[in-house]
Amino acid sequence: MEELICREGTVHSVIFQNAENGYTVLRLLTEEGEVVTVVGCIPCVAPGEHLTVTGTWEVHPQHGEQLKAQELERTLPEEEEDIFAYLSSGVCKGVGPTTARRIVDRFGLETLDILEAEPERLQTIKGITAKKAMEIGELFRQHMGLRRLMEFLSRYQLPPVLAIRLRQQYGDGAIRVVEKNPYLLSDDVCGVDFSVTDTMALSMGFAEDCTERLEAALTFELTYNENNGHVFLPKDKLLAATCQLLGCGIEQVEAALDALAEHHAVVIQRIANVEAVYLRRLWEAETSACARLLALLGMDADESRFADRTVAEIEKEQGITYAPLQRQAVELAAKVGVILLTGGPGTGKTTTVNAILQLLENQAERVALCAPTGRAAKRLSELTGRKASTIHRLLEVDYTGGVVSFIHNDKNLLKCDVVILDEMSMVDVKLFQALVTALRYSCRIIMVGDADQLPSVGPGNLLGEIIRSGCVPTVCLNEIFRQAKRSLIVENAHHIICGEPLQKGGKTDDFFFLEADGDAAQKLVCDLVTTRLPRSYGFDPVRDIQVLCPTKLGPTGTQALNVELQNLLNPEQKGKPQLQSAARVFRVGDKVMQVRNNYEIVWQRIGGEQGVGAYNGDIGIVESINTRERSMVVRMDDRRLVYPAENLNELEIAYAITVHKSQGSEFPAVILPVAQVPPRLCYRNLFYTGVTRARKLCIVAGRRDVANRMMSNVRQNLRYSGLCALLQAELPPEQVRVDAASAE
């Protein structure tokens, strides 16, 4: 066991501080005059503070001997010069060295107490108005509150960044709220894992069978399964999972569930002979989406709205002849309130959508085009030659008070006659509800997607549920057109869906299967990206080639491949700026991906337009790094975004990304490693989605038996969702149908 070292002194300077996790490097001036480098989780620390640090010595290869803090005691500065150093360090925005000196000279040792309790006294100092005095006092109180909250959380090894969310939610009383019920930390706002809050609560004296614990466990199970795509859980499965989690009897858990239902935190409803338990917000999303969709379906069809000759005129104008199903889709889109258009690659979805657009625009219809992600919207715009936006941008996000809402809603409807929604498979039930709620009852919606792709990351399987319901007029394009048949990517995509053997690629083809396993597969992928494809095809290894992995783990998972590819494509170099954030290292020139929605981050479009928002799945290139401020500028298509230190955890290296993250995107060249795929990810939809992301070239690298196993596993992403049953229950039986066009 290493000997513990104790050092006591005053913080001389803070060299580095990570706002995400509180990790800090500081210089400690001991009472003996020794300067010690201290590292560890010390959130909100500033020069002038007094620290007693207990820890062990470690030797850093570059920075030498450091004291790694394991335990510490900290007190606010008590000497005038220390108070001055503390106050002038930036702990209170707007108070620099000059103002700090005036305040300390005036109030001496009482300075910090006055700032927190009697800030109005600051106006006695020349240059500080009454308004300024109160502003300084409020900022200092916020700082002290946040500091105390971070210290409280650190006792339970919780990250300091959590304090910001807690303070936004509960204000000055955050500590009291958490002490009263620590299980609140596992809610949607904070998102702390139940096992962490459970350990914390039990250490604080909460009983194993207390109401707070039982209700939190039930909510955790529902939230956990929401993240796995389920809109609800069957009651019996929820009770069994919660009993297993807690080791409690079913009677206790069932009583807690009834209490949650009484408090309207959950909704229990019988759906298709299943007693379904919903989180209330998901129940509201699904039932509201159903009601709105049915209202749009109820729009009377106008059989005379467009004659056949109108479609014929478009055919003549475009110099093409539409297939019967394409023509049917165009005519339906013009006449009814809701239509669903599906089909795989090469079946003419884009041609059909363009014909629909031409027909609608000829009639002066106001059409809005949208897709779930920025990349999908950009692709839709390129394919149609018309402006397309994300659903978020179409609805206009309002993030006031840290809560996501939309400016366009049931009280402020969108001013459009038709909405064309592409990549329907990616849309979850919450986002779909927000969109259809913002449509006028006279507005038509045309949903476009590929039913064989992966379902949304969020809860629900909207495309599959709507098709299965038979309630929405559906056209399934199933003919592969002649020009598409020349592509092995297209041909093999359909072989995958049919469970048929893949066609081997020749020298002039756009699809290849290269066999390799383990470390050899990793080496092959890296060689393809860095050397073989750039040399043979002229692809840029960063901008044109995308590695899509079924999994994050293993030699051909995203984690290992990103380390290797970053070292090969963008290695550390003297003079090249780089930033360390948690386990990630970012360098200028790195390909990065946004991994969660951020509704506040500011961007500026090339050309001057400004806006806010970056969304899960957006990909960009690091343009510049400010090491002093620990910030980066990232170029995402034609937008530049500034990422301050606190937002760096929203980015990941993206030379290799998961297939799930690639939905809605296309890349010139795709490499799909299938050497080692966990059984839970070995299914057809995932393989198909990966292959169909390739526009010009697709290379599958790995084991044939793994690829065959993925293709033979027809297990869909089965999800608990009530949308199909709800739609069918609300329509008369004679109106529930599956169109001949969609029957296979």
Side-chain angles (χ1 to χ4, degrees):
M1 188 173 176
E2 291 184 273
E3 181 185 0
L4 291 177
I5 306 298
C6 183
R7 291 291 186 272
E8 185 176 355
T10 302
V11 177
H12 178 268
S13 57
V14 178
I15 308 302
F16 168 73
Q17 191 160 68
N18 189 328
E20 301 163 29
N21 55 24
Y23 181 80
T24 302
V25 180
L26 59 83
R27 300 275 194 265
L28 186 71
L29 179 62
T30 70
E31 295 176 350
E32 292 77 25
E34 179 188 13
V35 178
V36 178
T37 300
V38 179
V39 299
C41 182
I42 317 173
C44 276
V45 72
E49 285 191 61
H50 189 272
L51 297 185
T52 302
V53 183
T54 303
T56 56
W57 291 116
E58 63 175 26
V59 179
H60 191 277
Q62 288 181 289
H63 306 297
E65 196 173 55
Q66 301 175 336
L67 182 59
K68 186 177 181 181
Q70 295 183 9
E71 298 178 6
L72 60 91
E73 295 178 9
R74 52 195 289 187
T75 58
L76 289 169
E78 296 177 347
E79 302 293 331
E80 284 193 14
E81 285 307 305
D82 293 339
I83 293 171
F84 165 72
Y86 182 77
L87 194 56
S88 62
S89 67
V91 297
C92 187
K93 192 176 178 181
V95 178
T98 302
T99 304
R101 173 54 66 194
R102 289 175 182 169
I103 295 172
V104 174
D105 286 348
R106 177 70 174 83
F107 297 110
L109 300 180
E110 296 181 284
T111 294
L112 300 183
D113 292 333
I114 286 169
L115 284 172
E116 189 168 14
E118 301 177 274
E120 64 276 4
R121 292 175 62 183
L122 294 177
Q123 60 186 300
T124 61
I125 298 172
K126 186 178 179 181
I128 299 181
T129 63
K131 182 182 178 182
K132 181 70 173 176
M134 299 312 293
E135 286 176 354
I136 292 172
E138 178 58 28
L139 288 168
F140 188 74
R141 277 195 296 272
Q142 289 177 9
H143 167 76
M144 293 304 298
L146 198 60
R147 171 192 164 110
R148 293 184 184 110
L149 186 53
M150 287 180 171
E151 289 174 355
F152 170 75
L153 294 173
S154 68
R155 295 178 213 161
Y156 303 99
Q157 289 73 55
L158 292 169
V161 70
L162 181 60
I164 298 169
R165 294 200 290 272
L166 278 171
R167 191 168 178 84
Q168 286 175 340
Q169 183 77 357
Y170 302 114
D172 292 337
I175 293 177
R176 292 192 299 276
V177 170
V178 175
E179 286 178 329
K180 187 176 180 181
N181 184 5
Y183 291 104
L184 291 173
L185 294 174
S186 293
D187 65 11
D188 293 336
V189 175
C190 299
V192 179
D193 190 88
F194 176 80
S195 63
V196 176
T197 57
D198 195 38
T199 301
M200 177 181 176
L202 294 175
S203 73
M204 294 167 69
F206 282 77
E208 291 187 355
D209 61 350
C210 69
T211 302
E212 294 88 349
R213 186 172 190 245
L214 296 171
E215 292 183 357
L218 285 161
T219 304
F220 165 76
E221 287 291 348
L222 289 169
T223 305
Y224 178 84
N225 281 279
E226 175 191 353
N227 294 331
N228 286 333
H230 300 293
V231 184
F232 69 79
L233 280 184
K235 183 178 177 180
D236 58 344
K237 291 186 179 293
L238 173 61
L239 293 175
T242 307
C243 289
Q244 185 177 6
L245 176 68
L246 299 179
C248 294
I250 193 166
E251 297 83 5
Q252 293 171 300
V253 178
E254 194 162 17
L257 180 60
D258 291 339
L260 284 173
E262 287 178 16
H263 302 151
H264 306 294
V266 303
V267 175
I268 304 174
Q269 183 173 348
R270 183 159 288 278
I271 303 280
N273 298 318
V274 174
E275 201 165 7
V277 184
Y278 289 84
L279 289 168
R280 185 168 188 84
R281 52 182 170 75
L282 291 181
W283 177 80
E284 289 175 347
E286 190 164 79
T287 54
S288 174
C290 174
R292 201 70 172 198
L293 196 57
L294 288 168
L296 295 169
L297 278 167
M299 184 196 305
D300 292 334
D302 185 357
E303 299 295 337
S304 64
R305 186 177 177 84
F306 299 106
D308 289 347
R309 63 178 178 83
T310 309
V311 180
E313 287 170 2
I314 294 174
E315 287 180 318
K316 185 178 179 180
E317 185 180 314
Q318 301 293 326
I320 58 176
T321 301
Y322 298 119
L325 286 178
Q326 290 179 308
R327 177 181 282 269
Q328 181 184 352
V330 176
E331 293 174 352
L332 271 174
K335 295 172 182 177
V336 301
V338 184
I339 178 179
L340 181 59
L341 176 66
T342 74
T347 58
K349 287 201 305 293
T350 299
T351 301
T352 307
V353 169
N354 278 323
I356 291 170
L357 280 167
Q358 187 69 48
L359 186 64
L360 296 172
E361 289 173 350
N362 285 351
Q363 301 297 322
E365 301 275 11
R366 293 174 296 178
V367 183
L369 283 77
C370 63
T373 68
R375 294 186 72 85
K378 184 183 178 194
R379 181 166 160 259
L380 178 61
S381 184
E382 291 169 349
L383 292 171
T384 61
R386 295 163 175 86
K387 182 182 178 182
S389 68
T390 63
I391 300 173
H392 285 83
R393 194 167 188 200
L394 178 67
L395 297 176
E396 298 184 59
V397 173
D398 182 7
Y399 199 59
T400 307
V403 178
V404 179
S405 61
F406 295 103
I407 291 173
H408 291 289
N409 49 45
D410 59 344
K411 295 179 177 60
N412 182 25
L413 303 175
L414 288 166
K415 294 178 175 62
C416 55
D417 303 307
V418 184
V419 168
I420 296 179
L421 171 58
D422 198 17
E423 296 291 350
M424 182 65 185
S425 64
M426 298 178 62
V427 183
D428 66 42
V429 67
K430 295 180 290 186
L431 189 56
F432 186 69
Q433 182 262 344
L435 175 62
V436 293
T437 299
L439 301 182
R440 297 182 300 169
Y441 285 105
S442 60
C443 184
R444 297 193 298 283
I445 182 168
I446 299 163
M447 299 173 286
V448 185
D450 185 345
D452 293 311
Q453 284 192 30
L454 291 168
S456 59
V457 174
N461 183 8
L462 284 172
L463 183 58
E465 289 279 291
I466 291 172
I467 292 173
R468 196 158 60 88
S469 75
C471 298
V472 174
T474 300
V475 177
C476 179
L477 303 176
N478 49 31
E479 178 187 350
I480 304 175
F481 289 93
R482 186 178 63 224
Q483 61 270 29
K485 288 181 180 178
R486 302 177 190 142
S487 167
L488 264 192
I489 294 173
V490 173
E491 190 175 336
N492 277 329
H494 289 272
H495 285 314
I496 292 168
I497 292 304
C498 297
E500 300 169 351
L502 296 173
Q503 297 295 306
K504 296 180 180 179
K507 287 184 178 180
T508 59
D509 287 312
D510 57 3
F511 182 99
F512 301 94
F513 195 116
L514 304 178
E515 295 196 52
D517 193 13
D519 292 339
Q522 183 191 87
K523 186 177 179 182
L524 172 61
V525 170
C526 292
D527 189 40
L528 286 166
V529 174
T530 60
T531 306
R532 292 168 64 173
L533 297 190
R535 183 178 60 204
S536 301
Y537 296 88
F539 289 131
D540 183 289
V542 176
R543 300 179 187 278
D544 296 333
I545 304 172
Q546 186 61 63
V547 181
L548 302 181
C549 306
T551 179
K552 293 182 179 180
L553 305 177
T556 52
T558 58
Q559 293 178 1
L561 281 171
N562 272 322
V563 171
E564 294 297 320
L565 289 169
Q566 184 186 41
N567 288 334
L568 289 166
L569 294 171
N570 195 23
E572 184 175 1
Q573 292 179 5
K574 189 176 181 180
K576 178 185 287 186
Q578 67 177 43
L579 281 180
Q580 178 97 31
S581 177
R584 311 175 188 90
V585 176
F586 298 108
R587 301 183 186 118
V588 172
D590 273 333
K591 181 191 285 188
V592 294
M593 171 180 277
Q594 179 82 19
V595 294
R596 68 186 67 148
N597 291 340
N598 184 326
Y599 303 98
E600 295 182 294
I601 194 164
V602 178
W603 52 258
Q604 183 163 359
R605 201 177 299 279
I606 312 302
E609 180 189 357
Q610 289 189 329
V612 295
Y615 302 102
N616 191 354
D618 289 350
I619 293 177
I621 305 291
V622 178
E623 276 198 341
S624 63
I625 290 175
N626 187 322
T627 53
R628 180 180 291 274
E629 296 182 2
R630 290 188 51 75
S631 66
M632 300 194 313
V633 175
V634 177
R635 172 88 175 257
M636 293 183 177
D637 296 323
D638 62 344
R639 299 177 302 151
R640 284 191 175 94
L641 297 89
V642 178
Y643 283 81
E646 60 268 24
N647 293 129
L648 294 181
N649 63 326
E650 299 173 2
L651 292 172
E652 288 183 356
I653 300 298
Y655 300 103
I657 62 176
T658 62
V659 175
H660 284 85
K661 290 287 189 184
S662 74
Q663 288 177 267
S665 299
E666 272 193 350
F667 309 95
V670 164
I671 300 170
L672 182 62
V674 293
Q676 297 169 332
V677 182
R680 63 184 179 83
L681 295 172
C682 237
Y683 53 93
R684 183 179 293 177
N685 298 63
L686 189 143
F687 193 32
Y688 172 82
T689 301
V691 169
T692 54
R693 299 308 89 204
R695 190 163 63 245
K696 296 180 179 180
L697 179 68
C698 178
I699 296 179
V700 180
R703 289 164 42 188
R704 279 198 181 271
D705 64 316
V706 173
N708 291 335
R709 194 156 59 244
M710 294 180 78
M711 287 193 296
S712 63
N713 186 356
V714 295
R715 176 183 73 86
Q716 303 290 317
N717 278 331
L718 297 176
R719 297 180 167 191
Y720 293 113
S721 169
L723 185 61
C724 172
L726 289 169
L727 286 168
Q728 291 178 336
E730 294 296 327
L731 282 181
E734 64 271 15
Q735 292 187 33
V736 176
R737 67 196 183 279
V738 177
D739 293 271
S742 67
E744 297 188 1

